[in-house]
Amino acid sequence: HREAAGLLHTQVEAFRPRYKLRWSVDAMRMLAVPNAGGSSLQSEALSCEVLARLFGSRLVMTEMELDYFSGSKITDYSVTLFEHAVGVSVTRAINWPTFALQPADAYRLLFKKLRAIQISSRNVLNMRWRKQVLHVWVRTYRDAQTLEEQYAAIPPEVRGNSVVLITLANGIDWIW
């Protein structure tokens, strides 16, 4: 539904090392082209892979292919999902150096990322989507619970119509 917001949980288990993964064409494309920097390339490509395998999404544009008004927040990639254009923002919920995600940290992360989604959705020039997915990678089930609890405290106007997808990454230390 175009106006609905919500939260989903998934889990990914590593059954083989990264160099033996059979990446989809879309994920390989993401790995082959430049992104906006930082250490997020692996987590974004794996996000693309998970959305494709779980929901049948197809990559439309990568982070650097999307254009925005100057100074805008940006979205990591766009896909077609259930025949609709959708923006996807990816983040990793981790608290350095202890790794334990505290409630205040979870709230701050969700608030910041959901606000950024609203800004990027308003300012994107060469795509039109009415919904975004905030894909959040977590290391533990407890971190996923903490995010879910804090999501409930986020004001509805900040949640907007975004869907938060929390994915527990077991044995996938290379995305951090």
Side-chain angles (χ1 to χ4, degrees):
H1 188 271
R2 192 164 62 182
E3 302 303 318
L7 186 134
L8 300 167
H9 285 267
T10 60
Q11 182 171 327
V12 176
E13 299 276 343
F15 294 111
R16 59 179 61 99
R18 176 178 45 175
Y19 71 90
K20 288 188 175 183
L21 283 177
R22 286 181 239 131
W23 294 99
S24 66
V25 171
D26 289 345
M28 286 192 304
R29 179 175 152 210
M30 287 186 72
L31 289 166
V33 299
N35 79 347
S39 59
S40 61
L41 182 61
Q42 300 289 326
S43 61
E44 290 171 11
L46 189 57
S47 168
C48 182
E49 187 73 29
V50 166
L51 288 177
R53 291 187 187 203
L54 288 179
F55 306 110
S57 71
R58 300 294 304 164
L59 181 65
V60 177
M61 289 188 188
T62 64
E63 187 171 45
M64 298 304 288
E65 294 169 333
L66 293 165
D67 292 324
Y68 300 89
F69 286 111
S70 180
S72 179
K73 300 290 186 184
I74 64 173
T75 295
D76 293 313
Y77 62 96
S78 65
V79 295
T80 55
L81 186 63
F82 308 117
E83 301 179 20
H84 297 281
V86 175
V88 182
S89 292
V90 182
T91 191
R92 296 162 288 176
I94 191 165
N95 189 18
W96 297 102
T98 64
F99 301 121
L101 189 65
Q102 300 302 312
D105 300 317
Y107 184 91
R108 192 170 28 258
L109 176 69
L110 289 170
F111 192 95
K112 176 181 141 187
K113 292 296 186 176
L114 289 167
R115 275 279 194 227
I117 280 173
Q118 292 174 342
I119 294 166
S120 69
S121 292
R122 275 194 309 270
N123 292 323
V124 66
L125 297 170
N126 59 343
M127 276 294 298
R128 280 292 159 235
W129 53 70
R130 299 200 173 178
K131 186 172 291 296
Q132 280 211 47
V133 172
L134 174 58
H135 193 170
V136 185
W137 292 101
V138 296
R139 295 175 65 94
T140 67
Y141 178 72
R142 180 68 196 128
D143 288 348
Q145 288 179 313
T146 300
L147 282 163
E148 183 172 354
E149 290 163 4
Q150 294 308 307
Y151 175 80
I154 300 285
E157 64 273 10
V158 176
R159 283 187 253 156
N161 69 340
S162 296
V163 172
V164 176
L165 175 64
I166 299 172
T167 302
L168 174 57
N170 284 327
I172 309 174
D173 293 336
W174 46 267
I175 66 167
W176 304 102

